Amino acid sequence: MKRLALFCAVAAVVVAASRTSAMIPEQVTIDTGALEGVTGTVHPTVRIFKGIPFAAPPVGENRWKAPQAAAKWNGVFKANAFGPSCIANVPGAGRGGRGGGAPGRGGAPGAAPGAAAAPQAPPAPPRQPPANEDCLTVNVWTSANRAGDRRPVMMWIYGGGFTGGSGGQAWYDGEDLAVKGPVIVTMNYRLGVFGFLAHPELAKEAGHSGSGNYGVMDAIAALQWIKKNIAAFGGDPNNVTIAGESAGAIMVGALVGSPQAKGLFNRAILQSGGWMGLQMARMRTIEQAQGAGAKALEAAGVKSIAELRAKPFAELPSLQVQAGMVIDGHIFPEDLSFTFANGKQNDVDLLAGSNKDENTFFGGGRGGGGRGGAAATPPAPGSVMEAYIADAKQQYGELADTFLKLYPVKSDADVPLMRAQAQNDEINWNMRNSAALQAKKGKKGYAYFFTRVPRRNGEPQQNGASHTAEISYAFNHPYANGPLEWNDVDKKLADQMSSYWANFITKGDPNGTGLPAWPQYKDLSKDKVIVLGDTVQVEATVPAEKMAFFSARWARLMKGN
């Protein structure tokens, strides 16, 4: 009996130990070779693999080409450090242009006509090498027990106006989200001049009608890498969600509309950004983009793309190009507004939302400044209200009276508040509309509105629930361009949001045990979003009149007005 009791006790210890240690091994093998990762610092059940090449270095002859296959290696690749972020232009040459070419596409997406260049993504803590041309890597966080576990997968695409950002930023650390089940992948894509230069020579060699969009091609290549390799990390290659914020959400929305991305993912999360940007805009045509690229080379004294490719990085000239997606006839056969309006986008479930004070990120105060609504050249002193009304009539035509009814001004002092409200409401419409259009195709759509104001230095941050404020809560850790000060309200909201995200990534539905019910979103005129704030609840009243106005404006925009 004593021996039997001892045997049972030892067996229990062995079983318990096996349960706590069951996880993906430190070494896994993918199509290019063996990798060795590291164990999570916060959650020892999470394994992390950093800086894995998913494509060949986009340098020399590979500059401004679709991503090429990564080389195989011998031995074991030490996947214990993040790779360098992608660089937007040659050092000292500026940020690579304002981006986008049209309002809302590029920059920090959503720039209104005449707006200043939007800021780059906030800098990450020093945990990555300096930015480099050779930057196409992915990072994986997994809490799977073994290869072939078939965990759902999320690939995150970072923001930064297509001129900054990185998959290795602490902001996007996937450990606290991976512990809830999904395999989290972040990736780098080419930025600025390296990611979005368009030129007639590039179109000719590509064999189709247009060029540019190399950063988008990188995202597609990373999704193809996931299809081939994520099972080794315990992920399911047939259950993939793409997610992103700001420029990252713009790219996510664009991939939802791209025929070249069909079949590579099952659902999408758009955080403060859609295929148009933050606000409504037409896409740049390939003629506009390639014409601008040709002029940029001419201005730099460069005769050909071949000459540019032959130059070492340090000898490259500054090329002032606009960073953003264009209608290239291949990745994007047409303006994506027509694709979505006609229901030709990919059949995926979609979750989308915006923040209460988006505008404050772009230089406007909470209820002041801003760049939205009837944007204009700064008026002469004493004519602010008159300029606002004139701008509305010019921008909205026959819809101007409706706009001025929804955003009325009685004095110059009212103008900043109404501009801010109009900008925030337009962004809100954009995200709701994205969810509703997927529902129209018979897929599931969900929409949110984030209102929680993060705290810093003992006080709520002055710019409110601004652009980017929701990111940390979705990733469930208190970091956002520096540590946040989370109290019990913040911790509870982050736990709820990250659970909603994990549920949606898993099954296309954010709802789950212990969470407030999140209704599906189908109709702009009557359906309600969930409000993610000091408490989580469904909104009280639908802003139907405002949604109807912006829908009418979108229809007008697609007619060229």
Side-chain angles (χ1 to χ4, degrees), residues 37 57 88 141 159 176 211 277 281 340 372 379 430 440-441 443 463 482 486 502:
W141 289 260
D176 293 290
S211 59
F340 281 84
N430 193 356
K440 190 175 180 181
K441 283 182 67 71
K443 304 304 293 184
N463 62 349
W486 275 7

Side-chain angles (χ1 to χ4, degrees), residues 95 118-124 158-161 163-166 169 171-172 361 468 481:
R95 296 181 52 231
Q120 292 190 46
Y158 53 83
T163 60
S166 167
Q169 286 184 273
W171 215 343
Y172 314 132
F361 186 86
T468 75
N481 189 24

Side-chain angles (χ1 to χ4, degrees), residues 193-211:
V193 66
F194 296 105
F196 297 95
L197 174 68
H199 192 277
E201 287 183 36
L202 293 172
K204 184 177 180 179
E205 74 173 31
H208 49 74
S209 59
S211 59

Side-chain angles (χ1 to χ4, degrees), residues 516-553:
W518 186 334
Q520 287 194 41
Y521 195 86
K522 299 179 180 180
D523 191 318
L524 287 161
S525 67
K526 63 182 181 182
D527 286 343
K528 297 178 179 180
V529 304
I530 199 162
V531 179
L532 304 170
D534 296 352
T535 59
V536 175
Q537 58 191 339
V538 175
E539 70 179 337
T541 306
V542 176
E545 281 190 289
K546 290 180 176 180
M547 296 299 103
F549 166 76
F550 288 112
S551 292
R553 187 192 169 200

Side-chain angles (χ1 to χ4, degrees), residues 241-258:
T241 297
I242 55 173
E245 188 273 343
S246 193
I250 291 180
M251 192 180 292
V252 169
L255 289 170
V256 172
S258 173

Side-chain angles (χ1 to χ4, degrees), residues 252-384:
V252 169
L255 289 170
V256 172
S258 173
Q260 297 300 320
K262 184 176 181 179
L264 293 176
F265 58 95
N266 308 79
R267 51 194 66 97
I269 298 174
L270 309 180
Q271 297 176 210
S272 301
W275 76 87
M276 287 185 284
L278 281 179
Q279 297 170 265
M280 293 181 220
R282 295 290 294 270
M283 289 182 74
R284 269 191 304 160
T285 67
I286 195 60
E287 292 78 16
Q288 291 170 327
Q290 291 184 169
K295 289 180 180 178
L297 262 67
E298 183 180 355
V302 177
K303 296 180 180 179
S304 68
I305 294 294
E307 181 182 340
L308 271 183
R309 285 177 173 151
K311 289 181 180 292
F313 177 79
E315 296 178 15
L316 285 171
S318 169
L319 296 177
Q320 298 302 313
V321 302
Q322 296 177 325
M325 293 170 287
V326 299
I327 305 167
D328 64 355
H330 178 60
I331 305 294
F332 307 117
E334 62 181 355
D335 191 307
L336 286 167
S337 279
F338 294 108
T339 301
F340 281 84
N342 294 322
K344 295 189 293 183
Q345 74 273 26
N346 294 317
D347 291 320
V348 298
D349 302 320
L350 189 140
L351 184 154
S354 66
N355 299 348
K356 178 177 177 291
D357 303 305
E358 294 276 359
N359 72 296
T360 60
F361 186 86
F362 308 108
R366 295 176 67 184
R371 302 186 305 174
T377 302
S383 63
V384 175

